[in-house]
Structures are given as C-alpha cells and as structure tokens.
Amino acid sequence: MVKKIGILSGQENTFPQAFIDRVNSKGESGIVAEAVSIDKVVQGDPTEYAVIIDRISQDVPFYRAYLKNAALTGTAVINNPFWWSADEKFFNNCLATKLNVPVPKTVLLPSRDRPDDTNANSFRNLKMMDWDYIFNYIGFPAYMKPHAGGGWKNVYKIHDAEDLWKKYGETGQLVMLLQEEIIFDDYFRCYCLGGSEVRIMPYEPRNPHHLRYAATPTTTGEAYKKLMTTIRNYVIALNKALGYDFNTVEFAIRDGIPYAIDFCNPAPDADVNSVGQENFEWVVETAANMAIARAKAQQPGQDNLTWGTYVQNSARGRVFTPELETTDTEVAEQPKKEKKDKKEKKDKDGDKAPKDDKKSSKKAKKD
C-alpha cells in the first residue's frame, strides 16, 4: 500500500514544491509526496494521507478543522493542530520560565476594548491593573504586542506611561503583552525539525526581509561554541515541551546570555529568497527526511501526533519538570571573519519594526 505525504500550503511558492520533489527524488518504496487536495470533508472519515505538513491553517480555519478530523482518523499532522490551536505567546513565555530558559520580563494586559457581547458585568473579577508595579517591573522603553498571532502586526515600542496610554488605545479588542526591552549584541534564528534537528542561523532583524540572514556574529572562538551548544539545548527543550515538529526559535544575546524572544512559529518562513540557498537546502532536506520517517511509523486509525511533554505530564497528573540537553553537539558555522570594531548594539522589537520606530533604534525586544 502506498503511503501519501501531503503538504498543505498557501501563498508561499518555493518551499512546497521543493519539499515534494525532494521526498519523491529519494525513491522510498511505497511513499509518495504531493500537494494536499480536498474535495469534501466528512466527519469521522479518514483522509488519503499518512502525513500532512501544515503550512497554512493558521490563516484558514476551514483547513484547521479538516486537519483535526484528519488527525483523529490517523494522519500524522505536522504540526499537531490541537496544540497549535491552544498555544499562544504568553503561555510560551510562562513555560520557558519553568524550563529555566531565559526570557524577557513579560506581563499580560487585558484588551483595551471589551470583546463583543460583553459588558461591565463580564469583568467583575478584574480589578484596576497595578500599573505602578507593572511599569517598575518591565521598565521603559518596552514593547507591546498581541499575546497571540504574529506576522509583524500590532507591535509597538513604548517610551513611557503616556506613550503606553496612547498606543494601548489603538489595540481595540486585542489582548496584549508588555515586555522588557532586550538590548542585544547578537541575534540568532533557529530551525527545529522533528524535535531534535536544529540549525542555528545568525539573523539581523533590522535588515530588509531578504537580507535578515546576511549577518555575522560578534561572538567568536570558544565563547561562540559554548553559546551555540546552549542555544541548541534551549531550542530542543522548548520544542520538546511544546511538542512542535516544525518550528523556529529566536534568541537575543545580552551579556552572553541567550534570551528566547519568539518560539511560537509553527509555519516558519522557509522561502529561498529570504532564508538563502544554504538554509533552504537544509530545511528542505531535513523536512523531507522527517516526513518520510513519520510516514513509515504512521499507524492507520491511531493517534500519530506529537504531543509535548507539558501535555503528556499533565494528562498523567505528573509534575512538569525541565528537561535540558546537556551533551555537546555540532555548532553553527563559525563566522567567516571577526568584526572587532563592531561595538554597536542592535535593536529588535520582536515580530516587527514598531509603529513609531521605522528607523534603527539600536535596542531590542520581542516575543
């Protein structure tokens, strides 16, 4: 029996077909890859796919419902659609604190406007926020952004309390995060596939989109090797706990410490025109190998999803404890040359350039 690997994608152009071609080029007996094709979705009926790589359901609710039914009936969906629906960035940060992975100081803010179909009585449990405590805890400048979602939307740099009131008023019904600014020396974006395959990439978030991966780290030598090992261990720990098969994690390096800035990217950028040819080749090859392995392991009619250790422990009534890798592993390529005179600190807001800071500010923060 032939097992099909499908990819469900939207507006991206380079990764989906490259993935399909790579899987098929390997000539694995009984395994074929193709674009997912849907002409009907009937409750409880299985799909024709052993594995589906999901690259678009965050934008198309119909696809997310289709994938949940597919998962229930035996498809190995990458990433787990149930967890992806439940997850959001504030929880990510909360979980990181339990894993002892450094993250920026962060607080959750209620939406500025009431959600539809609510009134004052809906908020009887909500007191006036302790703004003095919040401002002292986070400090200024800070960054404010939605607690869920991404795509470089609704991210603000906040200079002081008055600036917060003004920009908070623009957020409507969005639940927001207020987060400490991290002034960083280096920045890295990391692919993690299959929970163990990691590629650490120097990244410059202030550059135009197609040049963000054209960066040279300032950290070198043994310090660089140790930093790469620490970052890899953090990447694996976060994805193991969250249960993502295909994700990216970003780190801002301040005083030698990697702070996890954004690690809820279950459909990360994989376009050759932005990530570059070498990174593209790695993610295509690694994704193809992962999908083939999952197709071979897939058991029809059973649960073939990946569940993170947080959910697994919770379901069994166990205490969630951090599990960090401790062994040395391969590190990212050494920078080709040192830039000894590069002393400027860089700036990152998180998911986008803040609305009032389109120019470089040399400061950073993100989710």
Side-chain angles (χ1 to χ4, degrees), residues 110-123 126 171-174:
S111 60
R112 175 61 180 79
D113 297 341
R114 293 172 186 158
D116 294 339
D117 301 318
T118 66
N119 57 37
N121 291 333
S122 305
F123 295 91
L126 185 64
T171 60
Q173 295 181 9
L174 293 173

Side-chain angles (χ1 to χ4, degrees), residues 96-109:
T97 67
K98 303 305 180 186
L99 291 167
N100 299 319
V101 175
V103 287
K105 297 175 183 176
T106 304
V107 297
L108 185 68
L109 304 179

Side-chain angles (χ1 to χ4, degrees), residues 43-71:
Q43 60 184 6
D45 281 2
T47 72
E48 59 188 296
Y49 300 100
V51 176
I52 294 177
I53 306 288
D54 174 19
R55 303 282 298 164
I56 188 60
S57 74
Q58 74 278 9
D59 295 328
V60 184
F62 172 79
Y63 288 159
R64 180 62 58 82
Y66 161 79
L67 291 169
K68 289 177 180 178
N69 186 68

